[in-house]
Amino acid sequence: MRGVWARTAATAEPTAIFAEDWESGIGDWSVSNGSWQVGRPIGGCSAHGGANVAGTDLTGYYERWTDSRLESPVIELPETPVDGTIWLRFWHWFANDEEGDYGRAEISVNGGAFTAVGRHFLAHSGVWSP
C-alpha cells in the first residue's frame, strides 16, 4: 500500500494517515500538464498489487520532456507525531528515457511551492521497488 504514515503513540507501529491503491480509479487526485492515467497497464509492467497503476502512459511510452505532476488530494497531517517523523512510502516501477528524463517525489506544504524529496529516479528500474 502506498501512503503517508506516522507513529500515533510512543509504542505503536506506524499507522496510515493516507493511502491509495488506484483500484477505484483516479479519485480526488489531479494531473497538471501531462498524460498521467490510472488503470491497467498495457505495456512495460504489471500492477504491484491489485490490477491498476498510476502512470504517464499506460500503453507504453510517454511524451519526452513533459513536465507533469500527479497530485494527491490535500492530506491533513498530525501536528506533532509521537516520534516527530512522518513517512512517505510508495512502491514504484519506472522506465525513463535515458537522454535526461527523470521522475521525483515532491511535497507542498499549505499550498506553497513544491519541494523535491529523496532522489531522482533515472533510467529504468526493471522491478517494483519501495
Side-chain angles (χ1 to χ4, degrees):
M1 182 181 301
R2 296 143 298 273
V4 179
W5 301 70
R7 201 174 308 275
T8 56
T11 59
E13 289 295 311
T15 57
I17 297 168
F18 174 84
E20 178 62 70
D21 64 10
W22 306 117
E23 295 307 303
S24 297
I26 200 163
D28 292 337
W29 290 66
S30 61
V31 174
S32 67
N33 189 40
S35 61
W36 284 90
Q37 303 169 331
V38 172
R40 295 175 190 261
I42 295 170
C45 75
S46 59
H48 178 261
N52 290 343
V53 300
T56 51
D57 190 332
L58 299 182
T59 62
Y61 297 101
Y62 62 92
E63 186 175 335
R64 290 186 63 210
W65 306 108
T66 299
D67 186 5
S68 178
R69 185 179 285 122
L70 176 63
E71 297 179 20
S72 75
V74 172
I75 303 168
E76 185 75 27
L77 300 176
E79 286 189 35
T80 310
V82 171
D83 65 358
T85 304
I86 296 176
W87 298 273
L88 171 63
R89 294 181 176 174
F90 59 94
W91 286 84
H92 63 263
W93 183 101
F94 55 92
N96 296 313
D97 187 288
E98 295 185 28
E99 297 291 323
D101 286 352
Y102 63 89
R104 67 181 178 206
E106 299 178 331
I107 62 168
S108 169
V109 177
N110 296 324
F114 282 90
T115 302
V117 294
R119 64 181 184 89
H120 287 80
F121 305 112
L122 304 169
H124 186 277
S125 65
V127 298
W128 284 100
S129 306

